[in-house]
Amino acid sequence: MIPITSSTPQLNRRQGGFVLTLELILITTILIIGCFVGVVAVRDALIKHSVKQQTREIVVVDASNQPLGPMIALDEHEAPIVPYIDRAVAPLAPDPAHRNYRALIGVRDDRFTSREPVYYDGPNCTGNPCMKGISDETTDSQGVDKLRATGAVSYLHALQAGPNYAIGRSIDGIRGDLYRTGGMCPIEPSQLQSRYMSQRVVSGTPCETFQVEQFPADTSCLVGIEAALPIIDLGQVASNPVCEQCPSGTESQGDIIERYLPTVASLVNQVLDVVAVDGVEVIIGDVCCPTGTRLEDDDGIINSLVYIALQEALALLGIDLNDNKDLRKILKTLGIVEGELNCIANISLRNAEPVVDPTDSAQNILDRFIPPFRITLPDAAAADADQWYYLPPEGEGVNTGQ
């Protein structure tokens, strides 16, 4: 006899497995479709964001469509400013991160600009180029408006504790080359004759005549007379000792005077021996300059010191230098002529070294870019596409044919 068994549990198992499989397929299908829909939505959103960003972003390019970089700001003339990263110079201070310094370069249609100027010892921005040190606020802070303490100082370079950067004259005299500070400047500030002020708005080269500002030195403390011995009476000659300190608002230049004191004292004594005022000792003191300036230390400083010291010493003794033939004769023999002492702005100049192209050391880093420069612009369908077209610049330095 064959046993009869129920098939219900087996049918239930088949039905249960069938229902579970359909649910899995349904859930998987929904998830996959949802993922596709989400990816498409994210893609469309990214594309729209990218296109909108392109409509706002300004990229500066040259005449060959070579990009100079994205604009990060505008200067006071609405010229785009692009950053330059100097990868060729090592950090001045030990830096484990080996960071590179940056310079901000303004781009006009035909030239580059910078806040800092470049100084030259020749006319028309020729000769040795030099620059100020970083954050030089006290000397030559006059910008294009010629008002003191209004410009010509860039603080970006001081904040990154790096070299100073500036745009100087290029070979064509217009486009401009990028310079950075190096060693000591080979010229004295008094030898400066011109400077390249790239911020100026001009039709030609922005080179201008320049001289370091001068102020007359205060020589009221340069000479004093005293009795050679305490018991000697000067009689008609009033004792007039040298000042103990410079007047308010001025600074001592004793460090410069001390270098020339032996020579100056010797020459002064040779002349005073002609006068032969017994019992009187002439004391060479100090020269004072306005705060923030220093005595101009040039080739004629000894001559000027001797002449002014003699003039004031003789005045204290009641003798007119111009009316005494013997004094004029000995001055002529010694080669001492009338001179003046000036104080100049205490400007510390550094050598301006060109920032060279890493691929060609004979070229400046900016030589690769060809003017006229322009910015990229989106087309009329920028909201739906990312195509670009370019408009020729019409502005400073460009002949529009009008």
Side-chain angles (χ1 to χ4, degrees):
M1 189 174 192
I2 300 174
I4 298 174
T5 60
S6 173
S7 61
T8 302
Q10 191 174 8
L11 292 174
N12 289 339
R13 282 196 297 273
R14 291 196 193 99
Q15 187 178 9
F18 179 75
V19 172
L20 180 61
T21 302
L22 288 178
E23 291 175 348
L24 179 60
I25 294 174
L26 181 60
I27 293 173
T28 304
T29 302
I30 293 173
L31 289 176
I32 293 175
I33 293 175
C35 289
F36 274 113
V37 173
V39 169
V40 171
V42 171
R43 182 203 63 184
D44 293 343
L46 289 175
I47 292 176
K48 289 181 179 180
H49 174 73
S50 177
V51 171
K52 288 182 179 180
Q53 191 174 26
Q54 290 176 11
T55 63
R56 300 187 185 100
E57 186 179 46
I58 296 178
V59 178
V60 184
V61 298
D62 71 351
S64 62
N65 291 337
Q66 181 178 193
L68 280 72
M71 183 196 78
I72 61 172
L74 293 168
D75 68 8
E76 61 268 32
H77 305 293
E78 293 189 358
I81 297 176
V82 298
Y84 169 73
I85 300 177
D86 191 358
R87 306 184 191 279
V89 61
L92 299 180
D95 190 347
H98 300 290
R99 298 182 178 91
N100 298 112
Y101 301 119
R102 285 171 290 190
L104 297 182
I105 302 175
V107 185
R108 299 183 188 172
D109 55 345
D110 61 344
R111 71 190 65 193
F112 299 108
T113 66
S114 66
R115 174 72 66 179
E116 293 276 1
V118 178
Y119 302 86
Y120 298 84
D121 62 344
N124 302 319
C125 295
T126 59
N128 295 298
C130 291
M131 295 166 54
K132 295 182 299 178
I134 56 175
S135 191
D136 189 343
E137 302 170 334
T138 58
T139 61
D140 185 29
S141 60
Q142 297 183 26
V144 293
D145 52 9
K146 300 299 183 182
L147 298 178
R148 180 175 292 279
T150 59
V153 181
S154 173
Y155 297 98
L156 169 68
H157 311 122
L159 290 173
Q160 62 187 359
N164 214 8
Y165 291 86
I167 296 296
R169 182 181 182 273
S170 56
I171 295 178
D172 62 5
I174 297 293
R175 188 196 68 247
D177 285 343
L178 182 62
Y179 289 84
R180 78 165 77 90
T181 50
M184 294 302 298
C185 178
I187 59 176
E188 290 292 328
S190 58
Q191 296 176 291
L192 297 177
Q193 297 188 43
S194 57
R195 71 171 179 175
Y196 194 88
M197 195 70 182
S198 60
Q199 282 281 332
R200 291 183 61 200
V201 178
V202 291
S203 58
T205 173
C207 182
E208 62 183 16
T209 302
F210 176 82
Q211 288 184 339
V212 176
E213 193 172 2
Q214 293 184 343
F215 306 89
D218 185 342
T219 59
S220 60
C221 296
L222 179 58
V223 175
I225 57 173
E226 297 179 355
L229 295 173
I231 59 175
I232 296 178
D233 185 6
L234 292 180
Q236 299 298 323
V237 180
S239 177
N240 193 333
V242 294
C243 312
E244 295 184 358
Q245 61 182 13
C246 286
S248 176
T250 63
E251 297 177 341
S252 169
Q253 304 300 305
D255 56 336
I256 299 178
I257 302 300
E258 286 180 2
R259 296 203 300 267
Y260 306 109
L261 185 58
T263 303
V264 172
S266 175
L267 292 171
V268 169
N269 288 330
Q270 289 184 50
V271 177
L272 291 179
D273 286 343
V274 178
V275 181
V277 180
D278 296 331
V280 175
E281 181 179 5
V282 175
I283 307 297
I284 303 297
D286 198 359
V287 175
C288 305
C289 283
T291 302
T293 65
R294 64 177 177 83
L295 186 63
E296 184 177 7
D297 190 358
D298 55 15
D299 295 337
I301 187 172
I302 293 180
N303 173 86
S304 299
L305 282 170
V306 172
Y307 187 89
I308 294 175
L310 283 171
Q311 191 176 43
E312 296 193 0
L314 292 171
L316 292 174
L317 295 172
I319 302 173
D320 189 348
L321 176 61
N322 296 323
D323 291 340
N324 193 307
K325 295 182 179 180
D326 294 334
L327 288 176
R328 294 203 307 270
K329 183 178 180 180
I330 190 173
L331 287 177
K332 184 177 181 180
T333 303
L334 295 174
I336 303 300
V337 297
E338 185 175 0
E340 58 182 12
L341 295 173
N342 293 312
C343 302
I344 59 174
N346 193 21
I347 180 172
S348 177
L349 293 176
R350 310 287 296 181
N351 189 37
E353 300 176 348
V355 180
V356 299
D357 192 322
T359 61
D360 185 357
S361 59
Q363 288 190 329
N364 191 272
I365 188 64
L366 299 179
D367 286 343
R368 65 174 69 176
F369 302 110
I370 305 172
F373 307 110
R374 55 184 181 272
I375 61 174
T376 55
L377 297 173
D379 63 13
D384 302 317
D386 58 352
Q387 299 297 318
W388 300 93
Y389 73 96
Y390 307 101
L391 294 178
E394 295 182 0
E396 173 197 342
V398 176
N399 185 4
T400 60
Q402 297 179 354

